[in-house]
Amino acid sequence: MLAYCAKRTIVALLVALTVSIISFALLHLSGDLAQSLAGPSATATDVAQVRKAYGLDRPIVVQYADWIARAMRGDFGESFFLKVPVGELIADRLPVTLTLGICALAFALALSLPLGVAAAVRPNSWLDRLALGLSVLGQALPSFWFALILIIVFGLKLRWLPVSGSGTWQHFVLPAIALGYYATPAFMRLTRAGMLEVLASDYIRTARAKGLRTMSVLFKHALRNAIIPVVAVAAVQFGFMLGGSIVIESVFSLYGVGYLGWEAISRADFPVVQAIVLVLACIYVLLTLLADMLNAVLDPRIRVR
Amino acid sequence: MVTDFAKTGAMTGAVIIALGAALTAMPAIAGKKNDTLNIAWDQPLDIADAYFNTSREGILAARMIWDQLIERDPDTFEYKAGLATAWRWIDDLTLELDLRQGVTFHNGQPFEADDVVYTFNFVVDPANKVLNMTNVGWMKSTEKIDPYKVRIHLKEPFPAALEYLAGPTPIYPHKYYAQVGPQGMARKPIGTGPYAVESLEPGKSVVFVKNANYWEGSARGKPRIGRVVERFIPEKTTQIATLLSGDLDLMWYVPPDQVESLKAVPGLTVSAGETMRVGYIYFDAAGRSSDSPLKDVRVRRAIAHAIDRQQFTRTFFGSEARVLAAPCFPTQFGCYQEGARYDFNLTKAKALMGEAGYPNGFETELFAFRPRQWDDALAGYMRAIGVRARISMLQYPAFRDKNHAGVTPISFGDWGSYSINDASAILGNFFRGSADDFSGDKELAEWVKEGDTSTDKEKRLAAYRKAISRVMEQMYMLPTNSYSIFYAYTSDLNFKSFKDEIPRYYLYSWK
């Protein structure tokens, strides 16, 4: 088990490093940062001055080496536009993104688990078809479009919830639904498949024969085993939600890391973009690593592959 | 089993419905009721220090927080007293200003000559890395003559000096700025302006509160609205939704296709205002990108005749915008209007193409950064005479990169001149031999330089007249139209738009 964890950890670190190199290179290829800093009305002289002042005239390899060395010490530099340490910016915005991610995950699980169970209990019924239909819809709907529909219905027509900002818990309801809905199909299908397999097993037959209540059979005995793969996938989906929050945060004007990333990308605020890519990549890699380890703990066969 | 499940499901559903019913919306933040104007900006106010901010939003914030030495009337463009009560040219390189007494900064510090001296000497020092040296680089140094008199020494004659002193050159409190520097000023801005900053969350929002002690006699008058809350909402649809929900009182740059829908909403007003922003199509006459047909003036004139600028302007910019006769805005000093004209005439255009040896047209590339539909329209006009332009739509920084690299045969852009009402702010950028110059015309560059640097008003006008006539006659750059902006706001607001693209929140009031 220890060897397995060590191997996965090394791979995770290599992935994070590769992501940092690729994102750094792509960012520098995407445009002249000095131009963005100097602004639309800057002359060529202004731009050259800015380029020199911010060290952007150094070779790209030197710039990367400098950046990664500082990043390893937790120093991501300063935002070119906000003039605030990038670490501080991310620390300020991360709670919003994490809150959104957790709420979205909770919504996705709250919707998909009962649906998955119901679909498994009545396979090929109207309920099963409905669940599968919702699952297909979830995968087909663009999240930004769904978000706008939610705004129109719940924000403007019904006036139940606010449409933008992050001041109160109500501000997170619509964004959590918009973000979480996308993950629902995966959870629902896994739950359904797992439940179908488990419900056919001998110990469930025994539990029913012993006269246990249906809800106890379903949720205390069957779901506990069927949900194992869902837990592992949830860790990975959480990572997707954190990275995919950029669209939802922009639509709902939630000041999270995704939103910060969007601003930074549009203005070529390289230090912020680089740091966000690295931080989110590390979180995702960590979640994937945890999911792998969890799977290994739960299913010993994985460790020896 | 199914019955148990159904019962559980029904209970869960009831809870969800009850929860849903309990989720009432936040009461709409009615602006007039609590004397708070809620506005949305498309870009965040990243750094409040005006000398380290190149965005339009930075300009808007600067006008709220600080005053300039000279105030420019937003309607007539006349210069009025600001923090300076009088000024005079001692010689071509020395401007003397008398300063206003009895003004205090938001932190109680009195305004005096040391503030002007420190601010200007700080920003002209290259070591301090201000982002746009064009705004201040014409100053060499500033000298204190007495507590209420200063002299600004110029590097070379710069006739637009007063225009810049009335624009992007706010005055900072010297003791405070010396203590906290740009970083401190970015987090807690202090000025003499009509509004102070109550709170500032970089990249998120700014809350401005009325300066109750704003000095008497300001050309801006006294601020009327108690608080102005600015939020950064990048998505236009979200801004519109927030406006409709009542949490926003004013937005600008309303997409033209949303205007009619918003006009129909009770309680909202939509208005349009022309701005100084100039749209242009710039041809690579110098052949920087390649030895292309665009080097031939007949080809450039043909394209100019092929574009129906009236239709283009009316369709995409509404009735407030106008077709331009010169590559500058008509109110800008020196913007000569009587150069060569290019009416929409396909027959003439095709004849010119034939004369130039391209009766069947040619392939080229159009670079742009504005909405795709505008670019498609222009490419469509060109296609009618055989000029098949492949559209390369880029983000603005990438667009400017390409321009500076000289690889854009045709570029479609616009220029706001930093709201400077002087032709030097646009002609000087595009026709003085810089990386933005695609004319390759040295004589033109000399005329523009003469206009930019002469202090004799008549000489300047003559130089710009020659320059603009040359640009239009050679069709280096086709001015398309002025840009107009649509604003949408609560009908409770007395709102007015201005040509320099600077909404003046301190002039607004409730009905």
Side-chain angles (χ1 to χ4, degrees):
Chain A
M1 179 67 182
L2 208 58
Y4 176 79
C5 291
K7 190 173 148 193
R8 300 305 294 168
T9 304
I10 290 167
V11 168
L13 286 170
L14 286 172
V15 167
L17 186 68
T18 307
V19 166
S20 76
I21 292 170
I22 292 174
S23 65
F24 190 94
L26 285 176
L27 280 169
H28 279 75
L29 285 171
S30 66
D32 186 355
L33 170 63
Q35 179 61 69
S36 302
L37 275 171
S41 300
T43 62
T45 311
D46 292 337
V47 173
Q49 202 158 11
V50 167
R51 188 173 290 115
K52 197 172 165 57
Y54 286 86
L56 298 168
D57 53 346
R58 297 175 296 166
I60 191 168
V61 174
V62 170
Q63 290 184 49
Y64 174 76
D66 181 39
W67 176 76
I68 197 69
R70 284 186 287 109
M72 284 184 173
R73 295 194 303 269
D75 174 13
F76 293 110
E78 195 178 77
S79 161
F80 283 147
F81 290 90
L82 293 167
K83 298 294 180 200
V84 174
V86 176
E88 235 179 77
L89 269 176
I90 293 178
D92 178 51
R93 307 281 186 113
L94 201 54
V96 171
T97 300
L98 287 174
T99 304
L100 175 61
I102 290 167
C103 293
L105 189 65
F107 168 77
L109 290 170
L111 181 64
S112 57
L113 292 184
L115 267 180
V117 169
V121 163
R122 294 289 294 269
N124 300 318
S125 66
W126 65 267
L127 194 55
D128 188 17
R129 295 281 172 251
L130 175 68
L132 285 174
L134 284 173
S135 144
V136 167
L137 195 63
Q139 285 181 317
L141 272 181
S143 57
F144 69 88
W145 183 84
F146 185 45
L148 292 173
I149 296 297
L150 290 173
I151 286 174
I152 290 169
V153 173
F154 294 101
L156 299 182
K157 294 284 185 204
L158 296 173
R159 294 195 178 257
W160 281 0
L161 294 160
V163 302
S164 65
S166 53
T168 67
W169 66 269
Q170 287 142 312
H171 286 91
F172 286 89
V173 174
L174 294 182
I177 293 172
L179 187 62
Y181 190 58
Y182 188 75
T184 309
F187 294 148
M188 203 281 299
R189 284 172 191 258
L190 267 177
T191 307
R192 180 183 180 275
M195 284 296 288
L196 280 173
E197 190 184 332
V198 164
L199 285 173
S201 58
D202 291 341
Y203 79 95
I204 293 296
R205 199 176 300 118
T206 308
R208 285 181 186 147
K210 281 166 78 177
L212 292 180
R213 286 177 55 242
T214 308
M215 299 312 292
S216 176
V217 169
L218 283 178
F219 291 99
K220 195 172 165 188
H221 296 279
L223 188 60
R224 274 175 84 169
N225 289 310
I227 207 173
I228 290 169
V230 176
V231 171
V233 167
V236 174
Q237 284 289 344
F238 185 56
F240 271 135
M241 284 176 186
L242 294 183
S245 64
I246 188 170
V247 170
I248 299 300
E249 286 180 16
S250 298
V251 172
F252 287 99
S253 294
L254 288 171
Y255 302 119
V257 171
Y259 202 54
L260 178 67
W262 185 93
E263 292 173 56
I265 289 168
S266 62
R267 296 188 297 177
D269 193 350
F270 283 4
V272 177
V273 179
Q274 279 160 208
I276 288 175
V277 169
L278 186 64
V279 166
L280 289 180
C282 288
I283 291 176
Y284 187 74
V285 162
L286 186 66
L287 288 169
T288 312
L289 183 63
L290 284 173
D292 285 344
M293 292 191 189
L294 193 61
N295 272 334
V297 165
L298 295 170
D299 186 350
R301 292 171 296 179
I302 290 171
R303 298 175 219 166
V304 297
R305 280 192 209 133
Chain B
M1 177 164 90
V2 172
T3 309
D4 283 344
F5 189 78
K7 276 184 192 166
T8 309
M11 271 175 52
T12 312
V15 167
I16 289 171
I17 290 167
L19 198 62
L23 287 172
T24 52
M26 299 282 287
I29 305 168
K32 186 177 175 181
K33 277 191 188 154
N34 58 3
D35 197 21
T36 299
L37 179 66
N38 296 287
I39 62 176
W41 286 348
D42 297 346
Q43 297 289 333
L45 181 65
D46 36 34
I47 179 166
D49 189 326
Y51 294 102
F52 293 88
N53 187 318
T54 55
S55 67
R56 175 59 49 170
E57 286 70 19
I59 295 173
L60 302 185
R63 294 303 171 102
M64 297 281 274
I65 303 166
W66 295 287
D67 292 296
Q68 298 90 253
L69 292 175
I70 297 174
E71 190 65 30
R72 189 182 72 190
D73 188 295
D75 292 313
T76 64
F77 293 104
E78 273 176 61
Y79 297 133
K80 295 184 173 171
L83 290 179
T85 52
W87 49 88
R88 60 203 68 85
W89 287 98
I90 305 299
D91 55 52
D92 280 356
L93 298 180
T94 310
L95 177 66
E96 184 175 273
L97 301 107
D98 302 331
L99 303 179
R100 188 178 295 274
Q101 298 187 37
V103 179
T104 53
F105 287 94
H106 301 143
N107 62 355
Q109 181 189 319
F111 163 70
E112 52 184 6
D114 286 327
D115 302 308
V116 180
V117 171
Y118 188 86
T119 303
F120 286 167
N121 286 339
F122 181 91
V123 299
V124 303
D125 184 350
N128 293 319
K129 302 187 215 170
V130 297
L131 285 186
N132 198 328
M133 283 300 281
T134 305
N135 291 342
V136 300
W138 51 276
M139 293 188 270
K140 189 165 79 175
S141 64
T142 303
E143 178 194 356
K144 174 179 173 179
I145 306 301
D146 68 40
Y148 292 98
K149 196 189 293 281
V150 296
R151 279 189 184 175
I152 300 175
H153 300 283
L154 280 61
K155 285 179 185 165
E156 58 178 19
F158 187 61
L162 297 185
E163 189 62 25
Y164 281 86
L165 289 176
T169 50
I171 304 301
Y172 290 172
H174 75 281
K175 283 183 193 155
Y176 179 71
Y177 203 44
Q179 189 188 337
V180 305
Q183 282 224 358
M185 186 63 94
R187 290 175 202 232
K188 178 71 183 155
I190 298 288
T192 56
Y195 282 85
V197 172
E198 184 181 89
S199 69
L200 193 160
E201 291 181 277
K204 292 184 192 176
S205 71
V206 191
V207 178
F208 300 95
V209 64
K210 183 166 73 174
N211 177 8
N213 299 321
Y214 189 50
W215 48 277
E216 286 293 335
S218 169
R220 299 181 184 184
K222 293 280 197 175
R224 259 71 70 86
I225 294 178
R227 282 168 96 236
V228 178
V229 176
E230 177 275 326
R231 285 170 52 200
F232 166 43
I233 304 178
E235 284 292 318
K236 278 297 169 191
T237 34
T238 311
Q239 284 190 23
I240 291 171
T242 313
L243 183 72
L244 292 173
S245 72
D247 286 348
L248 206 60
D249 297 308
L250 167 65
M251 64 175 284
W252 64 337
Y253 286 105
V254 177
D257 59 351
Q258 301 294 324
V259 167
E260 292 308 313
S261 310
L262 284 176
K263 275 182 178 169
V265 176
L268 279 189
T269 305
V270 181
S271 63
E274 189 186 31
T275 72
M276 286 167 61
R277 186 166 293 275
V278 166
Y280 63 80
I281 299 172
Y282 208 169
F283 303 107
D284 180 16
R288 286 172 65 188
S289 57
S290 65
D291 188 22
S292 85
L294 292 162
K295 287 172 71 176
D296 190 324
V297 64
R298 291 168 295 186
V299 170
R300 299 194 298 272
R301 286 175 183 157
I303 296 175
H305 280 297
I307 295 176
D308 187 346
R309 290 182 289 158
Q310 289 285 0
Q311 184 188 56
F312 181 77
T313 304
R314 203 172 44 244
T315 305
F316 296 116
F317 297 89
S319 56
E320 292 295 317
R322 65 179 115 166
V323 174
L324 295 174
C328 42
F329 189 73
T331 64
Q332 287 180 305
F333 176 85
C335 189
Y336 177 66
Q337 297 288 297
E338 305 305 319
R341 298 283 166 133
Y342 294 86
D343 56 323
F344 173 57
N345 190 328
L346 277 179
T347 309
K348 199 171 189 176
K350 286 176 182 169
L352 281 164
M353 289 292 284
E355 256 180 61
Y358 300 101
N360 299 319
F362 56 90
E363 310 275 340
T364 187
E365 202 169 359
L366 169 68
F367 284 79
F369 63 95
R370 288 300 187 191
R372 181 65 191 229
Q373 54 187 162
W374 302 356
D375 318 324
D376 283 337
L378 292 173
Y381 288 126
M382 291 188 222
R383 208 174 303 121
I385 59 166
V387 177
R388 296 174 292 281
R390 189 174 65 256
I391 297 171
S392 287
M393 207 178 133
L394 308 167
Q395 287 289 317
Y396 182 75
F399 170 84
R400 283 212 78 183
D401 270 352
K402 296 285 185 192
N403 271 165
H404 288 167
V407 300
T408 52
I410 306 177
S411 47
F412 168 52
D414 55 76
W415 193 254
S417 298
Y418 250 99
S419 303
I420 299 293
N421 196 37
D422 192 288
S424 62
I426 181 167
L427 299 179
N429 184 70
F430 290 108
F431 301 109
R432 261 181 81 168
S434 71
D436 283 308
D437 190 338
F438 282 86
S439 69
D441 190 328
K442 290 189 165 55
E443 192 174 27
L444 169 62
E446 283 303 315
W447 291 334
V448 173
K449 186 179 174 186
E450 188 184 347
D452 289 354
T453 56
S454 173
T455 50
D456 184 311
K457 186 174 158 183
E458 289 308 317
K459 271 191 185 160
R460 294 193 71 208
L461 286 172
Y464 284 144
R465 188 162 50 243
K466 283 189 290 193
I468 290 171
S469 298
R470 172 65 64 88
V471 169
M472 296 306 287
E473 192 261 331
Q474 289 294 312
M475 201 8 67
Y476 293 136
M477 177 187 274
L478 177 68
T480 53
N481 54 278
S482 62
Y483 279 34
S484 73
I485 302 175
F486 289 101
Y487 303 84
Y489 45 94
T490 170
S491 301
D492 287 333
L493 185 68
N494 281 322
F495 170 83
K496 186 177 174 183
S497 63
F498 300 99
K499 283 194 169 31
D500 59 7
E501 217 174 329
I502 301 176
R504 286 161 170 81
Y505 306 108
Y506 47 80
L507 291 178
Y508 303 154
S509 60
W510 302 113
K511 284 183 183 164

